[in-house]
Amino acid sequence: MTPAVTSVAETNAIPPRGRKMQRPLLDRIAEASGWNVVAIALGTIALALIYGPLIWLGVMSFSAEPLSGKPYPLTFAHYGLLFSNDKWHAPFVKSVVLGLVVALACMIVGTFLARALVRLKRPGGVLFVALLPLFVPGLTIGAALFIFLRTTLDLRLGMWSLFIGHMVWAFPFALLLILIVTIRFDVKLIQAAEDLGAKPLRCFLDIELPLLMPGISGAGIFSFLLSFNELLRSTFLRGSETTMPVYNWAMASAQQSQVPIVFSLSTLILAVTLPLMGGLFFMLFARK
Amino acid sequence: MSTVESNDFGMSRRSFLKSAGVSVAFAGSSLGFASLGFAQETVLHAYGVTTAQMDDPSLISKATGIKLEFTPTDADIGVFMRDALANNIGETHDIMIFDGGTQDILGPQGFYAEIDETNPALDLWDRTPDFWKKSDISVYDGKTYGVPILGNCDAFAYFADAIGANPNGQDEIPYSVLYEDDRTRGRVALDRVFSQSLACMANFLKVNGRLQIEDPANLTPEQAKAVVDYAVERKKAGTFRTLHNSFEEQVQLIQNREVDVLECWEPAVKEAEKTMKDKAPVYAYAVEGGKKWGHGAYVPKQALERGNGEAIYKVLNYFLGGEFRAYQARDRSYAGPNMDLGVEYAEKSGWSPEQVEELRATDKKISRKMSNPNAFWAKPTAPHADVMEQEWQRFLSA
Amino acid sequence: MTALALSSSPRRRWRLPGTATGWFTGWFLVMWIGVVVLPLLIISAFSFFSMRQYQIVYDPTFATWTSLVETGRWVVVLRTIRFAVSVTFLEILVAFPFALWLAKGCRSAAVRAGVITLLTIPFFIDASSRIIVWRSILGTNGVVNNLLVGSGLIDKPLTWLLYSDFSVSFGMFGSYFPTAVFPIFLTLSLIDDDLIKASADLGASRLQTLRHVILPLAMPGIVGGIVFTFVPLMAAWIEPQLLGGGQVNLLGQSIQSALTNLNYPVAAALSTIVIAVLVLMLAALVVSLRGRFKMSSLFQSLDR
């Protein structure tokens, strides 16, 4: 991204004040800087706040009284229940597939729109409309879509309406993440390539896409997760389909504790996704 | 009962739509029920609250030869009424299961069909006690719309030592331990849902003669305001530790002993008993009775038009029978009509004497609670529900 | 699609470059108006009708609006915004230095990938399970109180640890920290190291580099972080329910409660208030920044 340096350095020109400090900032930060310590400390505390309960949850999935917070007596009974119960399989698969479709759609549409937005002179209006669903409470969007699709248009709801509901929820986030990257993308790179005779598609695939990839993949992951955990809109748009969150929501009125199953399932998901995502992020952010 | 509806992405529903419920080819392939020996298995679709769902879905198939695919929903009356009125659920489903009271609206408006009490498949109807078949679960305006399938009288749970009650649980405890007892102040949990907590509070004020109230489940604007004024005053006095909203929260509050008394569902106590044994709280016989409620099974008119009547009545009859009764009582401590058949079934099926004894105890317990003259019937579709909800928000925000 | 940045030759003005095309924006707008704007307009019209027995009565009335004021229900909007603003502020305060360290300070690629993984994973886990665990930690007989009482620091368990404003904010902070970090990290990692080096070479102090180089370039990410945190916080439902224990009544719960009666008018009116307040806040922000900060520069390529 060398060409970027000149342009930004021009716009953010800082008056020179002598040339004493020759060493790169990174080196100096790495040495003894208090900022670094504060940043790491704050982040560690925040991560501890997130992982404290998660680890506790893992421990509790082996406890006979998982809700009480007492880790003993130990038992594998909940895992036994989880595997002997097949009612959650179909909703789980449905949620995964729906999440993947939503993520793919968000990545594609988000990339196209974000590239278009940075090339517009006045992107404000389009951006506002695209982000509008963010400002509306989830239940209201659900109710609004239900009234529109079902009552007004008289359509039969199902997976497709769940897809629309999840898109409306996940897309603004995906767009923002991709936009962050496209804003910083230097169009001169494309120009240079085109001047050298590259076809538009080649330019996009070889130059633009790799540079946008962190944003696009981030958008994909976030949209998948937003869809995977979505409940409020789904309760309106499900027709008679059942996704995993809807299943949990409905089972809450079964008046039999679902916690053992939910806790052990969460622990398993944690154990599976941790290495998977670790590998993915290592590829995305660590490779140089 | 079985896995949630349409296991393989709409396949089951599509085939269902084509063959109007009797999807013969699909039934065998769907879950491998061919091994059960039914060459042709009828599939019915139920939509309803998961309380009535059986843990083992194959039992119902074995007993009736009908596979009941269950689309689960939460106990949220708004969601149910929306699906019934606006989502045309009757077009795809044959049986709807929910709290009694929905027939008050869905019956007269023509969504529910009347129950044919003389249907030959419904042979347990005649022996079903009037208490159930003429209750608010089944009847509206003299017409029978639903088959009662289970019920209870909701009150609260208490730790006997905290209020100096007999730990055998036979005492009648007044609701005042929830609202205005210094021994429990700050260690009380109520239900967040107004149809439970506001109604029970109104019943308390009514029974103790402090307010003139006809129906605690359907308060007029003035009554609702007066009851909420009382609730706000008690809240300001620091009476309530928390308001819960789910079964899990109830169980946790008990297991952690976060509170001494809590308005809750009886299965929460049962769940706690599994690990707490004799340290578990007692589910109360309340002086003021409590809230009587029940689930009914209702038949959408369209299902009969599709010609599914015969199969539907077989399933309805099953809900009145011993097997369903026994399992519901065992798993959730809920009773229902024809409890004697449940005991009979358990004895015949080789349940342990303790389990059979427990079924008898459940029957006795629920009869005692249901016969308390102070108890009132729940009314999920109360005409004044919107006023009660608005007023309850005032309490929540106070 | 009007003016395009690429216009080095007149031919390009007509042949739209790559796939960033006007028809795409147009197509998107049409779709989005169909699934977002239109449904929202319809439901907001519902706030002028009323419900009777779960069915809408098409008879225009202001009853919903007056009842919101009379019962003081609209206040939940303000209360929710108060929570959302204060927690978002805290998140950004902690997330920015952490993201800066992650993007520029952390030199081990493996550590970086590891931390990002840790930030993403929580979202795979059902939120209510994550949050309900806190109740057994913060409760009257919970871990924290046991430790405090056991060590003799206090004689009676602290009750404000749970079912209070504190516990709700506390739970929210943990839940939305990753979403605050992620966009900021993304922009920061896109800043060229040479640029920072150049700034230092030109004699800028670290603070100056931060203010004049890093912050402006990180602005889209910071705005993104604010949106990513503030928006879900406005809709937060699980934290107020499980950690507020009904003592903290926020917007999401109020709307849910209205919808148990299928009270679309109240839900619509409350949401309209939310949108109005948020648009007002946005407008105030734009006005106050005008002149000091060129908003449009946020959305333009470096090529200008």
Side-chain angles (χ1 to χ4, degrees):
Chain A
M1 290 247 287
T2 337
V5 178
T6 42
S7 54
V8 176
E10 275 156 23
T11 42
N12 297 291
I14 295 158
R17 287 207 303 163
R19 296 194 166 260
K20 279 176 292 182
M21 287 171 281
Q22 289 295 330
R23 282 173 304 155
L25 180 75
L26 294 189
D27 287 8
R28 287 185 293 114
I29 287 179
E31 287 164 17
S33 157
W35 280 103
N36 225 12
V37 179
V38 172
I40 296 174
L42 286 176
T44 312
I45 293 172
L47 280 176
L49 283 184
I50 299 167
Y51 279 86
L54 279 185
I55 292 166
W56 198 242
L57 186 146
V59 174
M60 285 304 129
S61 70
F62 295 100
S63 160
E65 243 183 41
L67 284 166
S68 70
K70 285 188 268 293
Y72 45 85
L74 280 177
T75 171
F76 285 97
H78 308 320
Y79 287 88
L81 267 179
L82 178 69
F83 289 119
S84 64
N85 178 343
D86 61 4
K87 285 185 198 165
W88 58 273
H89 291 176
F92 187 79
V93 172
K94 234 173 246 193
S95 274
V96 171
V97 172
L98 182 62
L100 289 176
V101 175
V102 168
L104 192 69
C106 280
M107 282 156 74
I108 295 172
V109 180
T111 308
F112 278 63
L113 192 69
R115 291 176 78 252
L117 276 176
V118 292
R119 287 162 172 80
L120 282 177
K121 236 200 188 113
R122 296 190 155 274
V126 181
L127 191 70
F128 181 78
V129 174
L131 300 187
L132 183 63
L134 286 179
F135 302 110
V136 189
L139 281 168
T140 309
I141 282 271
L145 275 170
F146 178 84
I147 289 170
F148 181 63
L149 298 174
R150 177 70 222 168
T151 313
T152 313
L153 299 184
D154 198 27
L155 300 168
R156 183 196 294 263
L157 305 183
M159 288 309 279
W160 67 274
S161 50
L162 279 176
F163 170 77
I164 289 182
H166 288 196
M167 274 304 278
V168 168
W169 171 224
F171 181 73
F173 289 101
L175 178 68
L176 274 176
L177 277 178
I178 302 176
L179 205 55
I180 287 169
V181 200
T182 46
I183 285 170
R184 291 283 162 251
F185 178 75
D186 192 347
V187 187
K188 280 196 188 115
L189 288 176
I190 297 272
Q191 266 175 291
E194 287 197 338
D195 290 345
L196 292 173
K199 295 233 161 56
L201 187 64
R202 276 259 76 86
C203 286
F204 176 71
L205 289 179
D206 292 350
I207 302 170
E208 200 170 347
L209 200 58
L211 287 171
L212 299 185
M213 219 44 211
I216 297 177
S217 52
I221 292 164
F222 263 92
S223 345
F224 174 82
L225 291 170
L226 288 169
S227 159
F228 187 71
N229 289 320
E230 210 304 308
L231 172 65
L232 301 179
R233 295 154 193 82
S234 304
T235 56
F236 278 94
L237 300 171
R238 64 186 287 219
S240 52
E241 302 289 348
T242 306
T243 62
M244 197 63 200
V246 168
Y247 174 80
N248 284 332
W249 164 80
M251 288 316 279
S253 55
Q255 311 204 356
Q256 286 175 321
S257 185
Q258 301 299 312
V259 157
I261 290 185
V262 173
F263 274 27
S264 19
L265 187 59
S266 300
T267 310
L268 287 181
I269 293 177
L270 198 64
V272 173
T273 47
L274 205 66
L276 266 180
M277 298 305 288
L280 180 67
F281 284 121
F282 192 78
M283 305 251 295
L284 276 175
F285 294 104
R287 256 182 344 168
K288 276 288 169 191
Chain B
M1 322 248 120
S2 89
T3 50
V4 196
E5 197 237 7
S6 60
N7 303 290
D8 13 13
F9 296 96
M11 260 314 286
S12 75
R13 199 171 78 180
R14 232 176 298 137
S15 67
F16 161 75
L17 287 171
K18 274 187 199 142
S19 54
V22 200
S23 49
V24 179
F26 184 71
S29 65
S30 163
L31 275 176
F33 270 108
S35 59
L36 289 174
F38 297 108
Q40 294 195 347
E41 195 178 46
T42 310
V43 178
L44 286 186
H45 293 245
Y47 168 86
V49 65
T50 43
T51 322
Q53 203 179 1
M54 287 184 85
D55 282 347
D56 181 359
S58 69
L59 285 172
I60 200 166
S61 302
K62 277 181 208 153
T64 60
I66 293 159
K67 190 161 125 56
L68 196 64
E69 298 218 335
F70 206 95
T71 303
T73 184
D74 186 72
D76 187 325
I77 175 78
V79 173
F80 182 85
M81 294 303 280
R82 181 204 70 203
D83 278 347
L85 290 166
N87 212 7
N88 209 358
I89 207 85
E91 200 177 287
T92 47
H93 290 71
D94 307 291
I95 297 177
M96 298 169 71
I97 299 173
F98 207 75
D99 287 90
T102 55
Q103 79 276 17
D104 297 8
I105 293 171
L106 298 175
Q109 292 200 14
F111 288 89
Y112 288 163
E114 276 186 64
I115 298 292
D116 172 15
E117 298 171 44
T118 58
N119 191 302
L122 198 64
D123 57 12
L124 292 172
W125 186 259
D126 282 341
R127 76 178 313 284
T128 301
D130 278 356
F131 172 81
W132 292 99
K133 71 182 179 197
K134 298 236 187 300
S135 70
D136 284 11
I137 305 169
S138 305
V139 177
Y140 177 72
D141 204 18
K143 293 180 183 144
T144 304
Y145 291 104
V147 171
I149 60 176
L150 59 88
N152 195 8
C153 179
D154 277 358
F156 52 89
Y158 61 91
F159 286 95
D161 54 344
I163 56 167
N166 189 333
N168 73 7
Q170 295 303 309
D171 286 1
E172 288 219 337
I173 312 291
Y175 259 86
S176 58
V177 297
L178 279 171
Y179 305 138
E180 44 193 41
D181 193 320
D182 278 341
R183 291 170 300 182
T184 59
R185 189 205 305 244
R187 297 187 56 79
V188 176
L190 296 189
D191 199 312
R192 195 170 202 279
V193 175
F194 70 92
S195 57
Q196 178 79 32
S197 36
L198 182 60
C200 286
M201 202 179 264
N203 191 45
F204 166 75
L205 296 173
K206 174 195 169 182
V207 173
N208 289 291
R210 299 201 214 162
L211 282 178
Q212 183 69 35
I213 288 170
E214 298 76 43
D215 183 357
N218 183 27
L219 302 171
T220 64
E222 299 74 39
Q223 292 165 349
K225 187 175 177 306
V227 178
V228 169
D229 283 345
Y230 170 78
V232 170
E233 181 217 312
R234 296 320 301 160
K235 185 180 182 181
K236 294 248 157 83
T239 311
F240 311 119
R241 173 76 175 128
T242 178
L243 308 169
H244 57 69
N245 201 37
S246 70
F247 180 72
E248 262 74 32
E249 289 174 71
Q250 299 174 4
V251 175
Q252 196 183 38
L253 290 170
I254 294 173
Q255 287 181 343
N256 287 345
R257 188 91 201 238
E258 185 76 27
V259 292
D260 290 329
V261 279
L262 72 157
E263 210 165 31
C264 70
W265 301 325
E266 193 151 5
V269 173
K270 197 168 174 67
E271 182 74 28
E273 277 169 357
K274 282 186 198 161
T275 50
M276 296 172 83
K277 310 283 184 235
D278 55 340
K279 289 209 182 71
V282 180
Y283 203 75
Y285 292 107
V287 174
E288 290 86 356
K291 187 186 90 170
K292 294 186 279 189
W293 61 272
H295 285 334
Y298 309 88
V299 182
K301 268 200 178 141
Q302 292 135 299
L304 296 180
E305 288 158 14
R306 289 194 294 267
N308 287 347
E310 196 185 330
I312 289 171
Y313 274 92
K314 268 191 204 163
V315 174
L316 294 182
N317 204 49
Y318 176 80
F319 288 143
L320 294 172
E323 184 173 82
F324 185 74
R325 190 80 303 115
Y327 278 99
Q328 279 292 345
R330 190 194 69 180
D331 295 341
R332 300 193 174 88
S333 265
Y334 286 155
N338 304 329
M339 199 65 186
D340 52 325
L341 291 180
V343 174
E344 202 177 285
Y345 169 88
E347 280 171 336
K348 246 194 257 166
S349 315
W351 290 23
S352 72
E354 296 85 57
Q355 280 180 316
V356 175
E357 199 37 59
E358 209 177 307
L359 289 185
R360 287 208 181 88
T362 304
D363 187 27
K364 220 182 287 167
K365 173 192 73 189
I366 291 186
S367 308
R368 175 177 164 188
K369 288 199 287 184
M370 289 290 205
S371 57
N372 185 326
N374 290 331
F376 64 98
W377 273 104
K379 195 166 271 156
T381 53
H384 288 305
D386 51 341
V387 181
M388 294 168 72
E389 194 269 339
Q390 284 273 32
E391 284 292 336
W392 190 243
Q393 282 293 312
R394 196 157 59 82
F395 166 76
L396 291 174
S397 277
Chain C
M1 179 78 71
T2 47
L4 297 161
L6 310 181
S7 50
S8 46
S9 84
R11 186 176 54 90
R12 286 214 182 90
R13 205 170 292 207
W14 302 106
R15 207 206 70 208
L16 301 165
T19 41
T21 49
W23 64 260
F24 185 81
T25 312
W27 172 81
F28 171 79
L29 277 179
V30 170
M31 296 306 273
W32 216 238
I33 285 169
V35 298
V36 177
V37 181
L38 218 54
L40 283 178
L41 284 178
I42 292 177
I43 200 173
S44 53
F46 273 41
S47 68
F48 298 100
F49 296 126
S50 62
M51 297 295 290
R52 193 182 307 132
Q53 298 273 280
Y54 302 93
Q55 273 166 331
I56 192 110
V57 182
Y58 294 99
D59 202 2
T61 164
F62 282 99
T64 304
W65 291 94
T66 49
S67 80
L68 283 190
V69 177
E70 275 164 16
T71 59
R73 188 170 191 155
W74 67 279
V75 173
V76 293
V77 175
L78 292 190
R79 189 183 299 138
T80 309
I81 289 177
R82 199 189 73 212
F83 268 92
V85 168
S86 56
V87 175
T88 305
F89 179 72
L90 225 79
E91 298 278 17
I92 300 297
L93 216 59
V94 177
F96 184 80
F98 186 63
L100 186 58
W101 168 77
L102 194 61
K104 295 295 168 200
C106 170
R107 277 188 291 180
S108 156
V111 169
R112 189 179 308 147
V115 171
I116 299 171
T117 311
L118 287 180
L119 286 173
T120 319
I121 293 302
F123 296 103
F124 279 98
I125 309 297
D126 169 54
S128 13
S129 332
R130 269 186 283 140
I131 299 296
I132 204 169
V133 173
W134 280 117
R135 290 162 56 110
S136 58
I137 298 173
L138 299 174
T140 316
N141 302 315
V143 179
V144 174
N145 269 319
N146 277 344
L147 284 178
L148 288 177
V149 174
S151 65
L153 282 171
I154 50 170
D155 352 306
K156 263 201 329 201
L158 302 172
T159 49
W160 56 262
L161 280 179
L162 190 56
Y163 309 134
S164 58
D165 286 8
F166 163 78
S167 54
V168 175
S169 317
F170 182 81
M172 287 173 164
F173 182 83
S175 295
Y176 298 105
F177 180 69
T179 51
V181 172
F182 203 71
I184 302 181
F185 164 75
L186 207 55
T187 38
L188 287 175
S189 63
L190 291 173
I191 298 178
D192 205 312
D193 284 348
D194 293 339
L195 206 59
I196 299 172
K197 193 166 159 247
S199 164
D201 287 349
L202 290 171
S205 73
R206 286 218 308 275
L207 209 60
Q208 279 175 316
T209 306
L210 184 71
R211 250 192 77 188
H212 297 289
V213 180
I214 298 179
L215 264 183
L217 287 173
M219 246 330 156
I222 296 175
V223 173
I226 291 174
V227 172
F228 271 48
T229 321
F230 184 82
V231 168
L233 277 172
M234 282 301 292
W237 192 86
I238 288 162
E239 291 85 4
Q241 175 51 44
L242 291 180
L243 299 179
Q247 309 284 31
V248 184
N249 195 26
L250 297 188
L251 181 73
Q253 295 162 299
S254 198
I255 290 183
Q256 192 234 8
S257 168
L259 287 174
T260 56
N261 280 340
L262 235 51
N263 201 335
Y264 294 128
V266 165
L270 280 175
S271 313
T272 310
I273 298 177
V274 173
I275 298 174
V277 172
L278 290 181
V279 167
L280 277 179
M281 284 169 69
L282 198 70
L285 188 76
V286 170
V287 168
S288 71
L289 286 178
R290 181 165 291 165
R292 275 194 285 161
F293 182 78
K294 200 159 158 259
M295 287 300 273
S296 61
S297 68
L298 271 184
F299 301 108
Q300 261 153 38
S301 270
L302 292 174
D303 179 84
R304 253 171 289 157

